[in-house]
Amino acid sequence: MSINAIAPKVPPGRNSLGAAPWLLVCWMLLLPRAAIAQSVFVDEFSRPDGPVGNGWSSTAGDIGAPLEIRSGALTAAVTGSTAGVYRAVDQSGAVTVSGTTSQMNGFGGLPYRYVAEFLVGSDGTLASGYGVRIYRGDVNYPSEVQLMLNGAVVAQQASSLQFGPFVDFTITYGTDGSVSGSVSAAGSSSSFSFAPRGGTPSGANFAMSLEAGGGPVYPTIDNLRIATGSGGGVLGAPANPDPPNG
């Protein structure tokens, strides 16, 4: 069907520009879903030290102190704590999350321990949801990406990248339950992919959590981007990105 076939006729004597809004609406209706603009939420956590704010809520059931802003990053800054934050996101299409997470000290002060979770379908309680845990016991253990479902490890893949001080991550959650992405640092990267699965949680929130070791180095999350919508959730060039939120 052509656009002209469904555009309204312009009454005699009326400027043809009067039909432009109708033509635009018709053109948008004929666009494939993938061409519709995404929504991109950005949080750089560049706020004063203290509560997280900016629309985030602390997960129920946190162990020890809640996450907070420290030195411009989301931080688990109290020894022995495990805590998270969450916010509602549109999960009608794919969701892509990217950012940077950093190490903490493990047992005996050993470096390069990671326990950072990024979950969709959360109901707002700690560990609820479905998604990825970036994990390394400490410098003496291999790095891996774990697939989490309501606090349980349901699959895992070894990472060819051994996590050091910082890890950049990109994770895409498909509507079919598939999860894929990559972890990278210092010019090296490792990809991961988990097959579609049913029975995933249907909570309305995206959540993330951190475990804090014994210090003095505490884990962080920074430079977070969440892309949602029917455009496939691919970061990089959204049609109408939201400005950074903090």
Side-chain angles (χ1 to χ4, degrees):
M1 179 184 296
S2 68
I3 291 179
N4 289 334
I6 57 177
K9 293 182 179 180
V10 180
R14 183 176 177 183
N15 191 304
S16 61
L17 290 176
W22 290 98
L23 289 170
L24 177 61
V25 170
C26 294
W27 176 76
M28 292 180 66
L29 290 174
L30 293 174
L31 281 174
R33 286 179 60 86
I36 300 175
Q38 301 164 2
S39 174
V40 178
F41 171 81
V42 179
D43 199 339
E44 297 174 348
F45 303 104
S46 53
R47 301 185 285 279
D49 289 1
V52 180
N54 197 30
W56 295 99
S57 299
S58 294
T59 49
D62 284 354
I63 300 169
L67 300 185
E68 60 185 89
I69 302 293
R70 285 277 188 98
S71 301
L74 182 67
T75 308
V78 176
T79 297
S81 64
T82 300
V85 293
Y86 71 93
R87 67 185 307 121
V89 299
D90 175 14
Q91 298 173 62
S92 60
V95 177
T96 294
V97 179
S98 69
T100 302
T101 187
S102 69
Q103 65 155 330
M104 61 178 156
N105 292 123
F107 180 76
L110 290 172
Y112 304 157
R113 178 171 173 80
Y114 280 84
V115 186
E117 294 188 3
F118 305 91
L119 308 169
V120 293
S122 172
D123 64 8
T125 59
L126 184 66
S128 72
Y130 177 70
V132 161
R133 176 195 278 171
I134 295 174
Y135 181 80
R136 187 177 190 184
D138 58 43
V139 67
N140 293 323
Y141 292 88
S143 303
E144 59 186 36
V145 175
Q146 300 174 336
L147 185 65
M148 307 299 296
L149 177 60
N150 292 329
V153 179
V154 295
Q156 57 195 45
Q157 294 182 8
S159 171
S160 60
L161 173 72
Q162 297 309 306
F163 307 153
F166 298 92
V167 175
D168 297 322
F169 61 87
T170 299
I171 309 164
T172 295
Y173 305 88
T175 55
D176 59 358
S178 61
V179 180
S180 61
S182 64
V183 286
S184 60
S188 298
S189 66
S190 179
S191 298
F192 57 87
S193 180
F194 297 99
R197 61 186 299 131
T200 56
S202 58
N205 305 301
F206 166 76
M208 51 190 179
S209 65
L210 291 168
E211 173 194 292
V217 177
Y218 293 102
T220 67
I221 296 170
D222 205 356
N223 301 318
L224 186 77
R225 286 174 173 261
I226 307 172
T228 62
S230 57
V234 179
L235 291 174
N240 293 295
D242 298 331
N245 301 86

